[in-house]
Amino acid sequence: ETLTRFMEYQKRVEAIRAKVRSASFYPIILTSAAVVVVGFLMIYVVPTFTQIYADANVELPWMTQMIIGFSGLMKNFWYLLIIAIIGAVSGVRMLLRSSKGRVKIDRFILILPFFGSLQIDYALSGFCRTLGTTIASGTPLVSAMQMSRGTLNNLSLEKEMVQAIKRVEEGTSLSDSLDRTGFFPALALRMVSVGETSGSLTDMLGDVADYYESEVEYRLTRLTTMIEPLLMMVMGLLIAFIIVAMYMPIFQMGAAVG
């Protein structure tokens, strides 16, 4: 029975991870395509217009001057851009390797609109699922909480859970200990409290995990629905801005001739 529970848990975890990967795949493809298109315009197309306008000796609008300036920076100092990207990636990786840096990043994620709630729902589903599975296998509560703490996948939340484990060791009820962490929602706390008093804690933890797994799926679906048209709109506006900026002097010359 324990092995069956563990296999079911692994299947649920993999299903959630697959949904997260699926939700992030399309935005990554769109962003990459936008970067390639804008890079092509700035490095190859804009310099052609720049030479034409230089030969014509026309006064350029501020939009055109700005695009030409960015194009010149990208074409002449592309290596600095690559160095800056590599430096930024390396800095973030070094920050993630240090415990203090990781805690700061994890804390920052929690305060982000939408993504913070998504992170907490994902953490709750994994923690409650693991805790219920380990308790059902006969593991004492404190040991089960220690084993389940890592499934929160957020060092800031894990630090709060360490304090909750200490309170349980001192005799505080599970629901009260989780309440004082500050990130357990009232609904989850009520269900855990009912499970403690009725002797059906593992079932209630399973119900909590089911509820927040469905919340994660809903939020991921909503995220995908919102971000796809938003990225398309931003990509279209950016490309349109570059094209309009480069053709504006031609329109002005045509109007002057007319």
Side-chain angles (χ1 to χ4, degrees), residues 193-243:
S193 179
V194 169
E196 282 185 295
T197 55
S198 64
S200 58
L201 181 58
T202 55
D203 293 335
M204 280 299 177
L205 287 171
D207 291 340
V208 172
D210 288 339
Y211 174 79
Y212 285 103
E213 282 174 5
S214 64
E215 283 293 297
V216 169
E217 292 179 8
Y218 169 73
R219 289 181 185 274
L220 288 175
T221 302
R222 201 168 141 209
L223 175 64
T224 306
T225 304
M226 288 190 305
I227 206 166
E228 288 179 10
L230 182 63
L231 282 175
M232 291 291 290
M233 183 180 69
V234 171
M235 180 177 169
L237 289 175
L238 182 59
I239 294 173
F241 178 80
I242 295 173
I243 293 173

Side-chain angles (χ1 to χ4, degrees), residues 132-171:
T133 302
T134 50
I135 292 175
S137 66
T139 306
L141 177 58
V142 172
S143 298
M145 291 180 70
Q146 291 171 339
M147 294 170 62
S148 306
R149 178 170 59 91
T151 60
L152 291 170
N153 292 312
N154 185 290
L155 290 185
S156 181
L157 299 181
E158 288 183 32
K159 287 180 67 177
E160 295 295 333
M161 188 55 65
V162 168
Q163 299 304 315
I165 294 171
K166 289 180 180 178
R167 288 191 287 269
V168 172
E169 286 179 317
E170 294 168 356

